[in-house]
Amino acid sequence: MLHRVYLSAKPLSRSATWGRRFASTKTLKEALQEVIPAKQAQLKKLKAEHSQKVIGDIKVENVIGGMRGLKSMLWEASVLDPNEGIRFHGLSITDCKQQLPAAPGGKEIIAESMLWLLMTGKIPTEAEVRQLSRELAEKGDLPVAVEKLIDSLPNSLHPMTQLGMGVAALNHDSAFQAAYERGMKKTDYWTYTLEDCINLIARLPALAARIYRNVYKPGQAIPALDKELDLVGNYTNMLGYGENKDLMEYLRLYISIHGDHEGGNASAHTAHLVGSTLSDPYLSYSAALFALAGPLHGLANQEVLRWQLLMQKEIGDNVTHEHIKEYLWRTLKSGQVVPGYGHGVLRKSDPRFVALLEFCDSRPELLASPIVQMVKKTYEVAPGVLTEHGKTKNPWPNVDATSGCVLHHYGLTEFKYYTVIFGVSRALGALTQLVWARALGLPLERPKSLSMDALEKLL
Ligand code: CMX
């Protein structure tokens, strides 16, 4: 383990450090304060020395093809390589697993560690992570008005719609909006943005769990936030699965590694675009959630489960490779996409998919699970079928191909809810960028569009 260790006369075990206050431990805000000046200087230099340099061409295919591949936005926390996959400030998922502090008694990366890394580019100490966990737990209760709003929604309303509405309503208490109305300096924007972002991340588990309980387990009491537990530990408790420590660990890993996937994906980009108008973090992230709710993006994890379960229903548990091949071709010939496969940037198996599969491989009960086995078998044949089909540029699985099967195995079977978990996670990266956009003074996003006639005239 390479992570920095909190200095004390006697090294403290994970459980001993949990929940204790460390007077000398930096807060996330203090850690950010330290790194912001260097980034501001870097941007100033880039602007002064390189503003007019050309870094690529714009082709007609970019304009009519969803801007694929255009290098046209700044995003600090992560960069996506088509073959290697995601790196968070240069660290791969494997690096993160080795270096980021876990929960006491746990092994997997936790959301607080990932958030600290994304925000600051530094590896936090265990004490910093514990302090952040405590802060989030202290701020995690929902305002009564938002509880009432969520409780008033029909159970038939999709959980993602409810999540987006709840997040938007949290802007009632936006520190950024209030300070903007009072009149604040531009240099203060990032501190109020950070305050909103921390409050939002803290409240997401209670909001998301309330939606789950209302829709799927009505009438059951939701446990109070445990101030000694990490964000996802609390989320798992509030969902009603706190006794299942394996599921808790899975959700910690899931939520950490779904947190950021550079800036061009639809949810991250939406948060950035809306935030660039100086909308507060709640409104910006609410908009992002509605982008995440599309089946070509985050809703794919729901769709994968639906598709796999239909396959299981049709074929039974003893699925062979031939059965799956035939099912894949049927899906493709009926004009549908194979959910969980393909990607706008990636050209190899998604390392997030691999990390979740490794989690399955480390637990015998998951290896024996029919739904996990089916997902693994599908992985063995789908890339070949998609290659033969010849349309997709990337026949390999993305993270959504596997994320839902473990939830299903552990009893969280309501797959319409799965994208909400993704939504709890994606806040880590999207909100990090909002803080950086304000710290760097990034402008309103406003690309130029063209009509087809205007394009033809140009050509
Ligand atoms: N099954 C069938 N066809 C596919 C396919 C798949 N899994 N992936 C791509 N294609 C098709 C596209 O629909 C497109 O067809 P048309 O030319 O008829 O429009 C063609 O192959 C070329 O597409 P591409 O350039 O390879 O992929 P895109 O960048 O346009 O789209 C994505 C990327 C993810 C939307 C697409 O691969 C897809 O629809 N996958 C299934 C849905 C999914 O898993 N989404 C989750 C992505 C990860 C996430 O954001 O969470």
Side-chain angles (χ1 to χ4, degrees), residues 68 296-297 300 332 337-338 340-342 344 391-393 398 400:
R68 294 288 184 293
L296 296 187
H297 190 18
L332 289 166
V337 294
V338 175
Y341 283 78
K391 260 192 167 184
T392 174
K393 295 188 188 71
N398 59 60
D400 297 317

Side-chain angles (χ1 to χ4, degrees), residues 79-337:
V79 176
L80 183 60
D81 179 87
N83 296 309
E84 278 193 355
I86 194 67
R87 280 186 180 266
F88 310 103
H89 288 284
L91 298 186
S92 66
I93 291 174
T94 310
D95 297 333
C96 289
K97 284 183 82 153
Q98 287 167 352
Q99 297 180 37
L100 290 176
K107 273 198 195 150
E108 302 299 342
I109 315 165
I110 57 170
E112 289 86 338
S113 295
M114 182 55 83
L115 176 64
W116 192 287
L117 172 67
L118 294 175
M119 284 263 187
T120 67
K122 310 266 186 221
I123 301 214
T125 62
E126 290 199 13
E128 284 163 347
V129 168
R130 305 291 172 251
Q131 186 169 279
L132 182 56
S133 288
R134 180 173 273 271
E135 182 183 351
L136 293 173
E138 276 164 2
K139 295 177 171 173
D141 287 320
L142 286 181
V144 173
V146 174
E147 286 184 352
K148 280 190 183 157
L149 171 77
I150 295 300
D151 294 350
S152 74
L153 298 174
N155 290 351
S156 52
L157 190 61
H158 195 284
M160 278 303 280
T161 316
Q162 299 198 32
L163 184 67
M165 289 173 73
V167 168
L170 284 170
N171 106 309
H172 183 273
D173 299 330
S174 168
F176 181 87
Q177 202 184 71
Y180 195 84
E181 277 174 23
R182 285 196 305 271
M184 68 173 146
K185 291 188 294 205
K186 274 191 174 180
T187 47
D188 290 339
Y189 283 0
W190 77 266
T191 57
Y192 291 100
T193 302
L194 178 67
E195 192 180 330
D196 278 352
C197 291
I198 295 288
N199 283 332
L200 173 50
I201 290 169
R203 287 169 170 183
L204 275 171
L207 175 60
R210 195 167 193 96
I211 294 166
Y212 181 75
R213 292 298 191 108
N214 281 354
V215 175
Y216 303 110
K217 315 271 178 197
Q220 289 184 12
I222 302 174
L225 281 151
D226 177 349
K227 305 284 186 293
E228 307 306 321
L229 203 53
D230 63 303
L231 188 88
V232 178
N234 266 311
Y235 182 30
T236 318
N237 268 349
M238 288 187 290
L239 283 170
Y241 295 89
E243 296 301 307
N244 186 339
K245 300 302 172 208
D246 284 328
L247 177 59
M248 194 180 275
E249 277 286 274
Y250 179 71
L251 285 172
R252 285 173 173 143
L253 175 67
Y254 178 121
I255 286 176
S256 302
I257 66 177
H258 278 73
D260 201 35
H261 215 227
E262 74 165 38
N265 66 77
S267 53
H269 188 190
T270 303
H272 182 67
L273 168 66
V274 177
S276 82
T277 69
L278 298 188
S279 253
D280 64 63
Y282 302 101
L283 296 183
S284 306
Y285 194 59
S286 167
L289 286 167
F290 293 125
L292 193 67
L296 296 187
H297 190 18
L299 208 76
N301 58 12
Q302 155 186 326
E303 292 308 299
V304 168
L305 243 285
R306 187 208 302 282
W307 182 80
Q308 293 277 2
L309 290 174
L310 274 175
M311 186 196 296
Q312 195 179 38
K313 196 169 162 203
E314 220 172 277
I315 307 169
D317 275 350
N318 294 325
V319 183
T320 64
H321 290 100
E322 275 314 306
H323 287 137
I324 298 176
K325 247 188 199 173
E326 202 243 326
Y327 195 77
L328 280 160
W329 275 115
R330 223 167 338 127
T331 301
L332 289 166
K333 283 180 182 159
S334 66
Q336 298 168 58
V337 294

